[in-house]
Coordinates of all heavy atoms in Angstrom, one line a residue:
S1 N 0.8 -1.2 0.0 CA 0.0 0.0 0.0 C 0.8 1.3 0.0 O 0.3 2.4 -0.1 CB -0.9 0.0 1.2 OG -0.1 0.2 2.4
G2 N 2.1 1.2 0.1 CA 3.0 2.3 0.2 C 3.1 2.9 1.6 O 3.6 4.0 1.8
L3 N 2.6 2.2 2.6 CA 2.6 2.7 4.0 C 3.9 2.7 4.6 O 4.2 3.6 5.4 CB 1.6 1.8 4.8 CG 1.5 2.1 6.3 CD1 0.9 3.5 6.5 CD2 0.6 1.1 6.9
F4 N 4.8 1.7 4.3 CA 6.0 1.5 5.1 C 7.2 2.1 4.5 O 7.4 2.2 3.3 CB 6.2 0.0 5.4 CG 5.1 -0.6 6.2 CD1 4.2 -1.4 5.7 CD2 5.0 -0.3 7.6 CE1 3.1 -2.0 6.4 CE2 4.0 -0.9 8.4 CZ 3.1 -1.7 7.8
W5 N 8.2 2.4 5.4 CA 9.4 3.1 5.1 C 10.4 2.1 4.5 O 10.3 0.9 4.6 CB 10.0 3.8 6.3 CG 11.3 4.5 6.2 CD1 12.4 4.4 7.0 CD2 11.6 5.6 5.3 NE1 13.4 5.3 6.6 CE2 12.9 6.0 5.6 CE3 10.9 6.2 4.3 CZ2 13.5 7.1 4.9 CZ3 11.5 7.2 3.6 CH2 12.8 7.7 3.9
T6 N 11.5 2.6 3.8 CA 12.4 1.7 3.0 C 12.9 0.5 3.7 O 12.9 -0.6 3.1 CB 13.6 2.6 2.6 OG1 13.1 3.7 1.8 CG2 14.5 1.8 1.7
P7 N 13.5 0.5 5.0 CA 14.1 -0.7 5.5 C 13.0 -1.8 5.8 O 13.3 -3.0 5.7 CB 14.7 -0.2 6.8 CG 14.1 1.1 7.1 CD 13.7 1.7 5.8
V8 N 11.8 -1.3 6.1 CA 10.7 -2.3 6.3 C 10.4 -3.0 5.0 O 10.2 -4.2 4.9 CB 9.5 -1.6 6.9 CG1 8.3 -2.6 6.9 CG2 9.8 -1.1 8.3
M9 N 10.3 -2.2 3.9 CA 10.1 -2.8 2.6 C 11.2 -3.6 2.1 O 11.0 -4.7 1.4 CB 9.8 -1.7 1.6 CG 8.4 -1.0 1.9 SD 7.0 -2.1 2.0 CE 7.0 -3.0 0.4
N10 N 12.4 -3.2 2.4 CA 13.6 -4.1 2.1 C 13.4 -5.5 2.7 O 13.6 -6.5 2.0 CB 14.9 -3.5 2.6 CG 15.3 -2.3 1.8 OD1 14.8 -2.0 0.7 ND2 16.3 -1.5 2.3
T11 N 13.1 -5.5 4.0 CA 12.9 -6.8 4.7 C 11.7 -7.6 4.0 O 11.8 -8.8 3.8 CB 12.6 -6.6 6.2 OG1 13.9 -6.3 6.8 CG2 12.0 -7.8 6.8
Y12 N 10.6 -6.8 3.7 CA 9.4 -7.5 3.2 C 9.8 -8.2 1.9 O 9.4 -9.4 1.7 CB 8.3 -6.5 2.9 CG 7.2 -7.1 2.2 CD1 6.3 -8.0 2.8 CD2 7.0 -6.9 0.8 CE1 5.2 -8.6 2.1 CE2 5.9 -7.4 0.1 CZ 5.1 -8.3 0.7 OH 4.1 -8.9 0.1
W13 N 10.5 -7.6 1.0 CA 10.9 -8.2 -0.3 C 11.9 -9.3 -0.1 O 11.8 -10.3 -0.8 CB 11.4 -7.2 -1.3 CG 10.4 -6.2 -1.7 CD1 10.3 -4.9 -1.5 CD2 9.2 -6.6 -2.4 NE1 9.1 -4.4 -2.0 CE2 8.4 -5.4 -2.6 CE3 8.7 -7.8 -3.0 CZ2 7.2 -5.4 -3.3 CZ3 7.5 -7.8 -3.6 CH2 6.7 -6.6 -3.8
K14 N 12.8 -9.2 0.9 CA 13.7 -10.3 1.2 C 12.9 -11.6 1.6 O 13.2 -12.7 1.3 CB 14.7 -9.9 2.3 CG 15.7 -8.9 1.9 CD 16.6 -8.5 3.1 CE 17.6 -7.4 2.7 NZ 18.4 -7.0 3.9
L15 N 11.9 -11.3 2.5 CA 11.0 -12.4 3.0 C 10.2 -13.0 1.9 O 10.0 -14.2 1.7 CB 10.2 -11.9 4.1 CG 10.8 -11.5 5.4 CD1 9.8 -10.9 6.3 CD2 11.6 -12.6 6.1
S16 N 9.5 -12.2 1.1 CA 8.5 -12.6 0.2 C 9.0 -13.1 -1.2 O 8.4 -13.9 -1.8 CB 7.4 -11.5 0.0 OG 8.0 -10.4 -0.6
A17 N 10.1 -12.5 -1.6 CA 10.6 -12.8 -2.9 C 12.0 -13.5 -3.0 O 12.3 -14.1 -4.0 CB 10.8 -11.4 -3.7
E18 N 12.7 -13.4 -1.9 CA 14.1 -14.0 -1.9 C 14.3 -15.1 -1.0 O 15.3 -15.8 -1.0 CB 15.1 -12.9 -1.6 CG 15.1 -11.7 -2.6 CD 16.1 -10.6 -2.1 OE1 17.0 -10.9 -1.4 OE2 15.8 -9.5 -2.5
G19 N 13.3 -15.4 -0.1 CA 13.4 -16.5 0.8 C 14.5 -16.3 1.9 O 15.0 -17.3 2.4
I20 N 14.9 -15.1 2.2 CA 15.9 -14.9 3.2 C 15.3 -15.3 4.6 O 14.2 -15.0 4.9 CB 16.3 -13.4 3.3 CG1 16.8 -13.0 1.9 CG2 17.3 -13.1 4.4 CD1 18.1 -13.6 1.5
A21 N 16.2 -15.9 5.4 CA 15.7 -16.3 6.8 C 15.4 -15.0 7.6 O 16.2 -14.0 7.5 CB 16.8 -17.1 7.5
P22 N 14.3 -15.0 8.3 CA 13.9 -13.8 9.1 C 15.0 -13.2 10.0 O 15.2 -12.0 10.1 CB 12.7 -14.3 9.9 CG 12.1 -15.3 9.0 CD 13.3 -16.0 8.4
R23 N 15.8 -14.1 10.6 CA 16.9 -13.6 11.5 C 18.0 -12.9 10.8 O 18.8 -12.2 11.4 CB 17.4 -14.8 12.3 CG 16.4 -15.3 13.4 CD 17.0 -16.4 14.2 NE 16.1 -16.9 15.2 CZ 16.3 -17.9 16.0 NH1 17.4 -18.6 15.8 NH2 15.4 -18.2 16.9
E24 N 18.1 -13.1 9.4 CA 19.1 -12.5 8.6 C 18.6 -11.3 7.8 O 19.3 -10.7 7.1 CB 19.8 -13.5 7.7 CG 20.4 -14.7 8.5 CD 20.9 -15.8 7.6 OE1 20.8 -15.6 6.4 OE2 21.4 -16.8 8.1

């Protein structure tokens, strides 16, 4: 929705598109 700031979105895409482990 465009609500969140850059580092939050960086994490979101790592989780949703790259399969990065949450702790990393």
Side-chain angles (χ1 to χ4, degrees):
S1 68
L3 176 64
F4 295 107
W5 181 233
T6 303
V8 173
M9 292 308 301
N10 286 346
T11 285
Y12 173 74
W13 290 116
K14 289 175 185 178
L15 296 173
S16 62
E18 300 175 26
I20 300 295
R23 288 179 177 176
E24 300 174 4

